[in-house]
Amino acid sequence: EAGCSIRVGGETRAWREGEVLVLDDAFEHEVWNDSGEARGILIVDVWHPDFSDAEVAWMAATREARWAGRAGLVSRAPGSDPR
């Protein structure tokens, strides 16, 4: 699909309708859509099988807090670190 791509680390791939793309988001990554069309992406998180239940719970809570902060759902004290 022209104009829709993803870069993970040093590798760039184009999105292709009907195909699956699996990536490790521990690596620096970015996506872009220069196609002029709306695109939807389904994200499914799969935890490494060696992670303990406690590790998965901590990572899930951290991710949810990050997403809530990006959406402006977390209130912050004035002057606080936004990270």
Side-chain angles (χ1 to χ4, degrees), residues 50-61:
D50 290 339
F51 288 164
S52 69
D53 290 343
E55 289 170 319
V56 170
W58 179 85
M59 287 183 284

Side-chain angles (χ1 to χ4, degrees), residues 7-11 23-30:
R7 182 192 55 80
V8 180
E11 188 172 338
L23 68 121
D24 182 346
D25 69 356
F27 293 94
E28 180 183 352
H29 58 284
E30 65 179 326

Side-chain angles (χ1 to χ4, degrees), residues 30-52:
E30 65 179 326
V31 297
W32 58 91
N33 177 8
D34 296 326
S35 71
E37 298 179 33
R39 299 291 174 164
I41 303 297
L42 173 64
I43 298 173
V44 178
D45 287 326
V46 180
W47 300 111
H48 191 283
D50 290 339
F51 288 164
S52 69

